[in-house]
Each structure stands twice: as structure tokens, then as C-alpha cells.
Amino acid sequence: MRWIRILAAALAAAVLVAPARAAPSWHFAESENGMRAASIWAQGRTPSGQVPMKLEVRCRPGPDGAATIALAVRGAQDMRTFSFEDFEGADAPAARRKLATIRVVALRRDVSVTTSFAGGYQEDGFFAFTLSAPLVGRNEVKWITDAIILGAVLVVVTVQDPRDSRRRIHAQFQTRGATAAVTNTMDGCLAAAVANGAERPQTR
């Protein structure tokens, strides 16, 4: 019986010293040039298996400011099971097709947008799918960011391969800290735009 007590004590000690795995949370950052961004990481699914993905809401302030939702996929440069190149550039073939769905799951009412993505490869081997719109005014980006700010429980992003509808990229992102991070991102840029003469949109 003594060895059982020793083993139980060792296990209890291991539990006490083991680091707790924190739930993923949104992070806000502002660059020196005023670019603001809210982002979070998750494991997403691709035709080649699971890889880390980052969902980012970012905005560029100023009278011609823009807001962007971006999905970055790690390892895309070496992935041959999805047609990333068809999304590359604003004039890419897939950029004119509605192959992406962004769904904000909420307690009161879900918001789902089926839209087109442009994109491009990054130096670190990621591929970033992007959806951009003017900072001021009603548009798809604003619908999504407003839904996140008002109390989402999950953000789900799916991108269909333009050459094979059975191949998809899919990721689900938690919303812990999303309200504060996305509010800081969007409202900060909007305040800068209004200060430069843009018309303030209607309140949510």
C-alpha cells in the first residue's frame, strides 16, 4: 500500500506543477504607422491535414481607410492539395467567385456571409486570404466585425477549392477577448477617419 501512496503523491505534485493550458484569446496590436489589428490562432483543417491558422481583423486609418478580414494558412507554400494560386492577386480567377463563407455564431442571431477572397503568399510560407472594404459605410466586413463585437461565441471560416468543391479549408476560432480587441481595432480607425473629414456611420 505504501507504493500506492507514493504514486498518488507524485501524481498530485505533477498536477500542481504542470502548466495550465490557457484558452485561446484575441490579441490587439497597433503598429507605428497606425495600423490596428485584432487576431487569434486556431488549428484548422486542410486537404493535407491540420495546420495552424490565424484570423485577423485589421484596419488602416485615414480618409481613404480600409478594413480587412484575413485568414492566414501556415505551410501553404508547400501544400499541393489546394489551389491557393487561383486566389493570388486581386485579378485572380477565384477572386471573382464566392467561394468563402464567414459565419459568426452568436447567442441571439448568427451572421453568415458568402463572399469572394483575394489573397497572396507571405514570406514565411503562409497564404493569406483577404476580404477588404472601405472603413466607413455598410459592407460585408462591417457586418462581420459588428457581429463579433456584439457578442459572438464562435467564428467559422470555410474556403472552397475553385477546382474541386470537395477540397476545403476550414477553421473555427474562439471569441474570448474578441469584443474588446475588435472594438479597439475598428473604433480606433474610425475615429481617425472621422477626424480627417469622413462621415461617421450610423451607430450599431
mmCIF file of all heavy atoms in Angstrom, residues 151-202:
data_model
loop_
_atom_site.group_PDB
_atom_site.id
_atom_site.type_symbol
_atom_site.label_atom_id
_atom_site.label_comp_id
_atom_site.label_asym_id
_atom_site.label_seq_id
_atom_site.Cartn_x
_atom_site.Cartn_y
_atom_site.Cartn_z
ATOM 1 N N GLY A 151 -21.207 40.199 -29.519
ATOM 2 C CA GLY A 151 -21.291 39.024 -28.660
ATOM 3 C C GLY A 151 -21.346 37.706 -29.387
ATOM 4 O O GLY A 151 -22.358 37.003 -29.318
ATOM 5 N N ALA A 152 -20.281 37.370 -30.074
ATOM 6 C CA ALA A 152 -20.201 36.090 -30.771
ATOM 7 C C ALA A 152 -19.677 35.006 -29.828
ATOM 8 O O ALA A 152 -19.038 35.297 -28.814
ATOM 9 C CB ALA A 152 -19.279 36.199 -31.980
ATOM 10 N N VAL A 153 -19.959 33.756 -30.168
ATOM 11 C CA VAL A 153 -19.399 32.635 -29.407
ATOM 12 C C VAL A 153 -18.404 31.834 -30.257
ATOM 13 O O VAL A 153 -17.614 31.066 -29.719
ATOM 14 C CB VAL A 153 -20.509 31.698 -28.892
ATOM 15 C CG1 VAL A 153 -21.404 32.437 -27.905
ATOM 16 C CG2 VAL A 153 -21.356 31.142 -30.024
ATOM 17 N N LEU A 154 -18.439 32.036 -31.583
ATOM 18 C CA LEU A 154 -17.547 31.297 -32.472
ATOM 19 C C LEU A 154 -17.529 32.001 -33.825
ATOM 20 O O LEU A 154 -18.539 32.537 -34.265
ATOM 21 C CB LEU A 154 -18.049 29.855 -32.645
ATOM 22 C CG LEU A 154 -17.079 28.796 -33.165
ATOM 23 C CD1 LEU A 154 -15.967 28.533 -32.154
ATOM 24 C CD2 LEU A 154 -17.825 27.492 -33.459
ATOM 25 N N VAL A 155 -16.361 31.981 -34.483
ATOM 26 C CA VAL A 155 -16.245 32.473 -35.850
ATOM 27 C C VAL A 155 -15.742 31.313 -36.708
ATOM 28 O O VAL A 155 -14.693 30.734 -36.418
ATOM 29 C CB VAL A 155 -15.289 33.669 -35.966
ATOM 30 C CG1 VAL A 155 -15.242 34.174 -37.420
ATOM 31 C CG2 VAL A 155 -15.719 34.799 -35.032
ATOM 32 N N VAL A 156 -16.486 30.977 -37.744
ATOM 33 C CA VAL A 156 -16.168 29.826 -38.590
ATOM 34 C C VAL A 156 -15.875 30.331 -40.003
ATOM 35 O O VAL A 156 -16.685 31.052 -40.583
ATOM 36 C CB VAL A 156 -17.335 28.819 -38.625
ATOM 37 C CG1 VAL A 156 -16.946 27.591 -39.445
ATOM 38 C CG2 VAL A 156 -17.746 28.427 -37.209
ATOM 39 N N VAL A 157 -14.710 29.940 -40.539
ATOM 40 C CA VAL A 157 -14.317 30.361 -41.884
ATOM 41 C C VAL A 157 -14.075 29.121 -42.739
ATOM 42 O O VAL A 157 -13.352 28.208 -42.330
ATOM 43 C CB VAL A 157 -13.048 31.233 -41.863
ATOM 44 C CG1 VAL A 157 -12.734 31.746 -43.274
ATOM 45 C CG2 VAL A 157 -13.208 32.401 -40.902
ATOM 46 N N THR A 158 -14.692 29.097 -43.923
ATOM 47 C CA THR A 158 -14.526 27.985 -44.858
ATOM 48 C C THR A 158 -14.203 28.548 -46.237
ATOM 49 O O THR A 158 -14.833 29.507 -46.681
ATOM 50 C CB THR A 158 -15.811 27.135 -44.941
ATOM 51 O OG1 THR A 158 -16.160 26.681 -43.631
ATOM 52 C CG2 THR A 158 -15.601 25.930 -45.851
ATOM 53 N N VAL A 159 -13.207 27.949 -46.898
ATOM 54 C CA VAL A 159 -12.841 28.344 -48.257
ATOM 55 C C VAL A 159 -12.848 27.096 -49.134
ATOM 56 O O VAL A 159 -12.194 26.097 -48.815
ATOM 57 C CB VAL A 159 -11.452 29.007 -48.320
ATOM 58 C CG1 VAL A 159 -11.206 29.572 -49.729
ATOM 59 C CG2 VAL A 159 -11.311 30.100 -47.276
ATOM 60 N N GLN A 160 -13.583 27.154 -50.226
ATOM 61 C CA GLN A 160 -13.692 26.025 -51.150
ATOM 62 C C GLN A 160 -12.656 26.135 -52.255
ATOM 63 O O GLN A 160 -12.398 27.219 -52.782
ATOM 64 C CB GLN A 160 -15.093 26.005 -51.761
ATOM 65 C CG GLN A 160 -15.346 24.900 -52.762
ATOM 66 C CD GLN A 160 -16.731 25.001 -53.360
ATOM 67 O OE1 GLN A 160 -17.725 25.074 -52.638
ATOM 68 N NE2 GLN A 160 -16.815 25.035 -54.676
ATOM 69 N N ASP A 161 -12.055 25.014 -52.606
ATOM 70 C CA ASP A 161 -11.110 24.992 -53.719
ATOM 71 C C ASP A 161 -11.868 25.268 -55.022
ATOM 72 O O ASP A 161 -12.895 24.634 -55.286
ATOM 73 C CB ASP A 161 -10.425 23.621 -53.779
ATOM 74 C CG ASP A 161 -9.262 23.598 -54.746
ATOM 75 O OD1 ASP A 161 -9.490 23.816 -55.959
ATOM 76 O OD2 ASP A 161 -8.123 23.357 -54.311
ATOM 77 N N PRO A 162 -11.391 26.198 -55.853
ATOM 78 C CA PRO A 162 -12.132 26.527 -57.079
ATOM 79 C C PRO A 162 -12.120 25.419 -58.123
ATOM 80 O O PRO A 162 -12.941 25.424 -59.040
ATOM 81 C CB PRO A 162 -11.391 27.769 -57.607
ATOM 82 C CG PRO A 162 -10.037 27.685 -56.998
ATOM 83 C CD PRO A 162 -10.222 27.047 -55.655
ATOM 84 N N ARG A 163 -11.226 24.442 -57.979
ATOM 85 C CA ARG A 163 -11.131 23.366 -58.962
ATOM 86 C C ARG A 163 -11.789 22.072 -58.503
ATOM 87 O O ARG A 163 -12.031 21.180 -59.322
ATOM 88 C CB ARG A 163 -9.661 23.092 -59.297
ATOM 89 C CG ARG A 163 -8.912 24.333 -59.761
ATOM 90 C CD ARG A 163 -7.516 23.990 -60.195
ATOM 91 N NE ARG A 163 -6.711 25.196 -60.400
ATOM 92 C CZ ARG A 163 -5.490 25.185 -60.909
ATOM 93 N NH1 ARG A 163 -4.932 24.034 -61.272
ATOM 94 N NH2 ARG A 163 -4.818 26.321 -61.052
ATOM 95 N N ASP A 164 -12.049 21.956 -57.202
ATOM 96 C CA ASP A 164 -12.645 20.733 -56.665
ATOM 97 C C ASP A 164 -13.428 21.093 -55.408
ATOM 98 O O ASP A 164 -12.848 21.405 -54.371
ATOM 99 C CB ASP A 164 -11.551 19.703 -56.341
ATOM 100 C CG ASP A 164 -12.113 18.355 -55.926
ATOM 101 O OD1 ASP A 164 -13.314 18.285 -55.598
ATOM 102 O OD2 ASP A 164 -11.349 17.369 -55.899
ATOM 103 N N SER A 165 -14.756 21.077 -55.495
ATOM 104 C CA SER A 165 -15.606 21.504 -54.384
ATOM 105 C C SER A 165 -15.485 20.606 -53.159
ATOM 106 O O SER A 165 -15.915 20.981 -52.067
ATOM 107 C CB SER A 165 -17.066 21.549 -54.840
ATOM 108 O OG SER A 165 -17.500 20.263 -55.266
ATOM 109 N N ARG A 166 -14.903 19.417 -53.324
ATOM 110 C CA ARG A 166 -14.732 18.514 -52.181
ATOM 111 C C ARG A 166 -13.546 18.911 -51.315
ATOM 112 O O ARG A 166 -13.433 18.465 -50.166
ATOM 113 C CB ARG A 166 -14.546 17.078 -52.676
ATOM 114 C CG ARG A 166 -15.760 16.510 -53.412
ATOM 115 C CD ARG A 166 -15.421 15.200 -54.090
ATOM 116 N NE ARG A 166 -14.360 15.388 -55.092
ATOM 117 C CZ ARG A 166 -13.834 14.412 -55.820
ATOM 118 N NH1 ARG A 166 -14.268 13.169 -55.645
ATOM 119 N NH2 ARG A 166 -12.892 14.667 -56.713
ATOM 120 N N ARG A 167 -12.664 19.755 -51.825
ATOM 121 C CA ARG A 167 -11.482 20.184 -51.076
ATOM 122 C C ARG A 167 -11.763 21.545 -50.442
ATOM 123 O O ARG A 167 -12.135 22.490 -51.131
ATOM 124 C CB ARG A 167 -10.258 20.250 -51.992
ATOM 125 C CG ARG A 167 -9.874 18.887 -52.553
ATOM 126 C CD ARG A 167 -8.582 18.937 -53.341
ATOM 127 N NE ARG A 167 -8.697 19.779 -54.537
ATOM 128 C CZ ARG A 167 -7.735 19.898 -55.446
ATOM 129 N NH1 ARG A 167 -6.585 19.253 -55.286
ATOM 130 N NH2 ARG A 167 -7.914 20.674 -56.502
ATOM 131 N N ARG A 168 -11.568 21.597 -49.140
ATOM 132 C CA ARG A 168 -11.891 22.828 -48.413
ATOM 133 C C ARG A 168 -10.851 23.117 -47.335
ATOM 134 O O ARG A 168 -10.204 22.213 -46.814
ATOM 135 C CB ARG A 168 -13.273 22.723 -47.751
ATOM 136 C CG ARG A 168 -14.419 22.593 -48.742
ATOM 137 C CD ARG A 168 -15.732 22.281 -48.042
ATOM 138 N NE ARG A 168 -16.819 22.138 -49.009
ATOM 139 C CZ ARG A 168 -17.654 23.096 -49.348
ATOM 140 N NH1 ARG A 168 -17.546 24.287 -48.778
ATOM 141 N NH2 ARG A 168 -18.609 22.898 -50.236
ATOM 142 N N ILE A 169 -10.758 24.392 -47.018
ATOM 143 C CA ILE A 169 -10.031 24.863 -45.841
ATOM 144 C C ILE A 169 -11.080 25.327 -44.842
ATOM 145 O O ILE A 169 -12.020 26.051 -45.202
ATOM 146 C CB ILE A 169 -9.060 25.989 -46.221
ATOM 147 C CG1 ILE A 169 -7.869 25.391 -46.969
ATOM 148 C CG2 ILE A 169 -8.611 26.765 -44.998
ATOM 149 C CD1 ILE A 169 -6.937 26.412 -47.542
ATOM 150 N N HIS A 170 -10.925 24.895 -43.603
ATOM 151 C CA HIS A 170 -11.963 25.143 -42.601
ATOM 152 C C HIS A 170 -11.311 25.394 -41.249
ATOM 153 O O HIS A 170 -10.398 24.653 -40.843
ATOM 154 C CB HIS A 170 -12.909 23.943 -42.511
ATOM 155 C CG HIS A 170 -13.970 24.072 -41.473
ATOM 156 N ND1 HIS A 170 -15.177 24.690 -41.712
ATOM 157 C CD2 HIS A 170 -14.002 23.676 -40.174
ATOM 158 C CE1 HIS A 170 -15.914 24.660 -40.624
ATOM 159 N NE2 HIS A 170 -15.227 24.052 -39.669
ATOM 160 N N ALA A 171 -11.775 26.430 -40.565
ATOM 161 C CA ALA A 171 -11.242 26.712 -39.228
ATOM 162 C C ALA A 171 -12.324 27.338 -38.361
ATOM 163 O O ALA A 171 -13.179 28.094 -38.857
ATOM 164 C CB ALA A 171 -10.038 27.640 -39.314
ATOM 165 N N GLN A 172 -12.276 27.011 -37.062
ATOM 166 C CA GLN A 172 -13.193 27.579 -36.079
ATOM 167 C C GLN A 172 -12.369 28.338 -35.042
ATOM 168 O O GLN A 172 -11.422 27.795 -34.472
ATOM 169 C CB GLN A 172 -14.015 26.489 -35.399
ATOM 170 C CG GLN A 172 -14.918 25.717 -36.348
ATOM 171 C CD GLN A 172 -15.802 24.715 -35.623
ATOM 172 O OE1 GLN A 172 -15.742 24.583 -34.408
ATOM 173 N NE2 GLN A 172 -16.642 24.017 -36.370
ATOM 174 N N PHE A 173 -12.751 29.587 -34.798
ATOM 175 C CA PHE A 173 -11.993 30.448 -33.901
ATOM 176 C C PHE A 173 -12.845 30.831 -32.695
ATOM 177 O O PHE A 173 -14.005 31.236 -32.853
ATOM 178 C CB PHE A 173 -11.539 31.712 -34.639
ATOM 179 C CG PHE A 173 -10.616 31.433 -35.791
ATOM 180 C CD1 PHE A 173 -11.125 31.223 -37.064
ATOM 181 C CD2 PHE A 173 -9.243 31.350 -35.596
ATOM 182 C CE1 PHE A 173 -10.279 30.955 -38.134
ATOM 183 C CE2 PHE A 173 -8.397 31.086 -36.660
ATOM 184 C CZ PHE A 173 -8.908 30.893 -37.934
ATOM 185 N N GLN A 174 -12.251 30.694 -31.510
ATOM 186 C CA GLN A 174 -12.926 31.083 -30.284
ATOM 187 C C GLN A 174 -13.053 32.605 -30.218
ATOM 188 O O GLN A 174 -12.383 33.339 -30.963
ATOM 189 C CB GLN A 174 -12.165 30.558 -29.072
ATOM 190 C CG GLN A 174 -11.993 29.038 -29.047
ATOM 191 C CD GLN A 174 -13.317 28.309 -28.949
ATOM 192 O OE1 GLN A 174 -14.215 28.730 -28.223
ATOM 193 N NE2 GLN A 174 -13.452 27.216 -29.684
ATOM 194 N N THR A 175 -13.895 33.108 -29.328
ATOM 195 C CA THR A 175 -14.143 34.546 -29.259
ATOM 196 C C THR A 175 -13.792 35.153 -27.903
ATOM 197 O O THR A 175 -14.232 36.263 -27.587
ATOM 198 C CB THR A 175 -15.612 34.847 -29.583
ATOM 199 O OG1 THR A 175 -16.459 34.102 -28.698
ATOM 200 C CG2 THR A 175 -15.927 34.483 -31.026
ATOM 201 N N ARG A 176 -12.993 34.461 -27.128
ATOM 202 C CA ARG A 176 -12.559 35.022 -25.846
ATOM 203 C C ARG A 176 -11.723 36.279 -26.097
ATOM 204 O O ARG A 176 -10.715 36.237 -26.790
ATOM 205 C CB ARG A 176 -11.735 33.986 -25.075
ATOM 206 C CG ARG A 176 -11.251 34.445 -23.710
ATOM 207 C CD ARG A 176 -10.653 33.284 -22.945
ATOM 208 N NE ARG A 176 -10.093 33.685 -21.672
ATOM 209 C CZ ARG A 176 -8.797 33.908 -21.461
ATOM 210 N NH1 ARG A 176 -7.926 33.736 -22.444
ATOM 211 N NH2 ARG A 176 -8.362 34.272 -20.277
ATOM 212 N N GLY A 177 -12.163 37.394 -25.557
ATOM 213 C CA GLY A 177 -11.455 38.666 -25.744
ATOM 214 C C GLY A 177 -11.727 39.343 -27.067
ATOM 215 O O GLY A 177 -11.147 40.397 -27.359
ATOM 216 N N ALA A 178 -12.622 38.784 -27.884
ATOM 217 C CA ALA A 178 -12.843 39.328 -29.228
ATOM 218 C C ALA A 178 -13.527 40.693 -29.194
ATOM 219 O O ALA A 178 -13.188 41.576 -29.987
ATOM 220 C CB ALA A 178 -13.667 38.349 -30.057
ATOM 221 N N THR A 179 -14.499 40.862 -28.305
ATOM 222 C CA THR A 179 -15.242 42.120 -28.281
ATOM 223 C C THR A 179 -14.307 43.303 -28.060
ATOM 224 O O THR A 179 -14.349 44.298 -28.807
ATOM 225 C CB THR A 179 -16.318 42.086 -27.184
ATOM 226 O OG1 THR A 179 -17.289 41.079 -27.513
ATOM 227 C CG2 THR A 179 -17.023 43.433 -27.066
ATOM 228 N N ALA A 180 -13.442 43.222 -27.068
ATOM 229 C CA ALA A 180 -12.530 44.334 -26.774
ATOM 230 C C ALA A 180 -11.510 44.525 -27.891
ATOM 231 O O ALA A 180 -11.244 45.659 -28.315
ATOM 232 C CB ALA A 180 -11.818 44.084 -25.446
ATOM 233 N N ALA A 181 -10.936 43.436 -28.390
ATOM 234 C CA ALA A 181 -9.877 43.541 -29.397
ATOM 235 C C ALA A 181 -10.410 44.103 -30.711
ATOM 236 O O ALA A 181 -9.781 44.976 -31.333
ATOM 237 C CB ALA A 181 -9.234 42.176 -29.630
ATOM 238 N N VAL A 182 -11.558 43.612 -31.156
ATOM 239 C CA VAL A 182 -12.110 44.083 -32.436
ATOM 240 C C VAL A 182 -12.660 45.502 -32.289
ATOM 241 O O VAL A 182 -12.544 46.314 -33.215
ATOM 242 C CB VAL A 182 -13.186 43.110 -32.953
ATOM 243 C CG1 VAL A 182 -13.818 43.628 -34.241
ATOM 244 C CG2 VAL A 182 -12.569 41.734 -33.197
ATOM 245 N N THR A 183 -13.227 45.832 -31.137
ATOM 246 C CA THR A 183 -13.684 47.204 -30.895
ATOM 247 C C THR A 183 -12.513 48.173 -30.950
ATOM 248 O O THR A 183 -12.593 49.233 -31.591
ATOM 249 C CB THR A 183 -14.395 47.316 -29.536
ATOM 250 O OG1 THR A 183 -15.556 46.482 -29.539
ATOM 251 C CG2 THR A 183 -14.822 48.748 -29.256
ATOM 252 N N ASN A 184 -11.411 47.861 -30.280
ATOM 253 C CA ASN A 184 -10.226 48.718 -30.316
ATOM 254 C C ASN A 184 -9.712 48.896 -31.735
ATOM 255 O O ASN A 184 -9.257 49.974 -32.121
ATOM 256 C CB ASN A 184 -9.123 48.128 -29.435
ATOM 257 C CG ASN A 184 -9.393 48.295 -27.958
ATOM 258 O OD1 ASN A 184 -10.184 49.153 -27.565
ATOM 259 N ND2 ASN A 184 -8.758 47.477 -27.138
ATOM 260 N N THR A 185 -9.799 47.827 -32.516
ATOM 261 C CA THR A 185 -9.320 47.890 -33.894
ATOM 262 C C THR A 185 -10.195 48.792 -34.748
ATOM 263 O O THR A 185 -9.717 49.744 -35.378
ATOM 264 C CB THR A 185 -9.281 46.479 -34.504
ATOM 265 O OG1 THR A 185 -8.377 45.663 -33.753
ATOM 266 C CG2 THR A 185 -8.827 46.523 -35.950
ATOM 267 N N MET A 186 -11.476 48.516 -34.783
ATOM 268 C CA MET A 186 -12.377 49.225 -35.685
ATOM 269 C C MET A 186 -12.681 50.651 -35.217
ATOM 270 O O MET A 186 -12.616 51.605 -36.012
ATOM 271 C CB MET A 186 -13.674 48.434 -35.843
ATOM 272 C CG MET A 186 -13.489 47.055 -36.440
ATOM 273 S SD MET A 186 -12.803 47.099 -38.119
ATOM 274 C CE MET A 186 -14.171 47.844 -39.011
ATOM 275 N N ASP A 187 -12.987 50.837 -33.953
ATOM 276 C CA ASP A 187 -13.366 52.167 -33.482
ATOM 277 C C ASP A 187 -12.192 53.133 -33.496
ATOM 278 O O ASP A 187 -12.363 54.328 -33.744
ATOM 279 C CB ASP A 187 -13.957 52.074 -32.071
ATOM 280 C CG ASP A 187 -15.372 51.502 -32.075
ATOM 281 O OD1 ASP A 187 -15.853 51.133 -33.170
ATOM 282 O OD2 ASP A 187 -15.983 51.413 -30.995
ATOM 283 N N GLY A 188 -10.996 52.621 -33.232
ATOM 284 C CA GLY A 188 -9.822 53.483 -33.278
ATOM 285 C C GLY A 188 -9.569 54.018 -34.677
ATOM 286 O O GLY A 188 -9.279 55.200 -34.871
ATOM 287 N N CYS A 189 -9.684 53.155 -35.682
ATOM 288 C CA CYS A 189 -9.500 53.589 -37.062
ATOM 289 C C CYS A 189 -10.628 54.518 -37.504
ATOM 290 O O CYS A 189 -10.404 55.484 -38.235
ATOM 291 C CB CYS A 189 -9.430 52.384 -37.994
ATOM 292 S SG CYS A 189 -7.837 51.550 -37.992
ATOM 293 N N LEU A 190 -11.844 54.212 -37.075
ATOM 294 C CA LEU A 190 -12.992 55.033 -37.453
ATOM 295 C C LEU A 190 -12.854 56.436 -36.880
ATOM 296 O O LEU A 190 -13.143 57.430 -37.561
ATOM 297 C CB LEU A 190 -14.285 54.388 -36.963
ATOM 298 C CG LEU A 190 -15.576 55.144 -37.282
ATOM 299 C CD1 LEU A 190 -15.737 55.316 -38.789
ATOM 300 C CD2 LEU A 190 -16.768 54.420 -36.694
ATOM 301 N N ALA A 191 -12.399 56.538 -35.633
ATOM 302 C CA ALA A 191 -12.209 57.859 -35.027
ATOM 303 C C ALA A 191 -11.192 58.671 -35.818
ATOM 304 O O ALA A 191 -11.373 59.874 -36.037
ATOM 305 C CB ALA A 191 -11.769 57.698 -33.580
ATOM 306 N N ALA A 192 -10.122 58.007 -36.284
ATOM 307 C CA ALA A 192 -9.109 58.697 -37.082
ATOM 308 C C ALA A 192 -9.683 59.132 -38.422
ATOM 309 O O ALA A 192 -9.382 60.219 -38.922
ATOM 310 C CB ALA A 192 -7.902 57.787 -37.288
ATOM 311 N N ALA A 193 -10.528 58.284 -39.020
ATOM 312 C CA ALA A 193 -11.135 58.629 -40.305
ATOM 313 C C ALA A 193 -12.075 59.818 -40.164
ATOM 314 O O ALA A 193 -12.073 60.734 -40.997
ATOM 315 C CB ALA A 193 -11.878 57.425 -40.865
ATOM 316 N N VAL A 194 -12.893 59.829 -39.105
ATOM 317 C CA VAL A 194 -13.831 60.932 -38.880
ATOM 318 C C VAL A 194 -13.078 62.233 -38.620
ATOM 319 O O VAL A 194 -13.460 63.315 -39.081
ATOM 320 C CB VAL A 194 -14.787 60.595 -37.720
ATOM 321 C CG1 VAL A 194 -15.622 61.808 -37.333
ATOM 322 C CG2 VAL A 194 -15.687 59.433 -38.097
ATOM 323 N N ALA A 195 -11.967 62.124 -37.879
ATOM 324 C CA ALA A 195 -11.154 63.304 -37.601
ATOM 325 C C ALA A 195 -10.582 63.906 -38.878
ATOM 326 O O ALA A 195 -10.294 65.104 -38.938
ATOM 327 C CB ALA A 195 -10.022 62.942 -36.647
ATOM 328 N N ASN A 196 -10.453 63.073 -39.917
ATOM 329 C CA ASN A 196 -9.927 63.545 -41.196
ATOM 330 C C ASN A 196 -11.034 63.914 -42.184
ATOM 331 O O ASN A 196 -10.782 64.047 -43.378
ATOM 332 C CB ASN A 196 -9.025 62.477 -41.815
ATOM 333 C CG ASN A 196 -7.641 62.460 -41.189
ATOM 334 O OD1 ASN A 196 -6.777 63.261 -41.526
ATOM 335 N ND2 ASN A 196 -7.439 61.554 -40.244
ATOM 336 N N GLY A 197 -12.274 64.003 -41.691
ATOM 337 C CA GLY A 197 -13.337 64.509 -42.534
ATOM 338 C C GLY A 197 -14.313 63.501 -43.047
ATOM 339 O O GLY A 197 -15.271 63.857 -43.752
ATOM 340 N N ALA A 198 -14.135 62.217 -42.731
ATOM 341 C CA ALA A 198 -15.089 61.219 -43.191
ATOM 342 C C ALA A 198 -16.390 61.324 -42.417
ATOM 343 O O ALA A 198 -16.410 61.768 -41.256
ATOM 344 C CB ALA A 198 -14.507 59.804 -43.040
ATOM 345 N N GLU A 199 -17.482 60.923 -43.020
ATOM 346 C CA GLU A 199 -18.779 60.983 -42.347
ATOM 347 C C GLU A 199 -18.937 59.789 -41.428
ATOM 348 O O GLU A 199 -18.729 58.643 -41.833
ATOM 349 C CB GLU A 199 -19.903 60.976 -43.388
ATOM 350 C CG GLU A 199 -21.284 61.104 -42.777
ATOM 351 C CD GLU A 199 -22.390 61.116 -43.821
ATOM 352 O OE1 GLU A 199 -22.046 61.201 -45.022
ATOM 353 O OE2 GLU A 199 -23.570 61.036 -43.443
ATOM 354 N N ARG A 200 -19.272 60.049 -40.186
ATOM 355 C CA ARG A 200 -19.451 58.959 -39.219
ATOM 356 C C ARG A 200 -20.700 58.151 -39.589
ATOM 357 O O ARG A 200 -21.771 58.722 -39.789
ATOM 358 C CB ARG A 200 -19.598 59.493 -37.793
ATOM 359 C CG ARG A 200 -19.787 58.401 -36.738
ATOM 360 C CD ARG A 200 -19.881 58.978 -35.367
ATOM 361 N NE ARG A 200 -18.597 59.518 -34.917
ATOM 362 C CZ ARG A 200 -17.653 58.778 -34.361
ATOM 363 N NH1 ARG A 200 -17.815 57.480 -34.218
ATOM 364 N NH2 ARG A 200 -16.523 59.324 -33.972
ATOM 365 N N PRO A 201 -20.571 56.796 -39.661
ATOM 366 C CA PRO A 201 -21.734 55.975 -39.990
ATOM 367 C C PRO A 201 -22.713 55.919 -38.829
ATOM 368 O O PRO A 201 -22.406 56.341 -37.721
ATOM 369 C CB PRO A 201 -21.117 54.605 -40.255
ATOM 370 C CG PRO A 201 -19.876 54.595 -39.429
ATOM 371 C CD PRO A 201 -19.372 56.024 -39.437
ATOM 372 N N GLN A 202 -23.901 55.379 -39.095
ATOM 373 C CA GLN A 202 -24.889 55.217 -38.033
ATOM 374 C C GLN A 202 -24.375 54.276 -36.980
ATOM 375 O O GLN A 202 -23.601 53.350 -37.267
ATOM 376 C CB GLN A 202 -26.202 54.690 -38.615
ATOM 377 C CG GLN A 202 -26.867 55.647 -39.587
ATOM 378 C CD GLN A 202 -28.144 55.088 -40.141
ATOM 379 O OE1 GLN A 202 -28.480 53.932 -39.924
ATOM 380 N NE2 GLN A 202 -28.881 55.899 -40.872
#
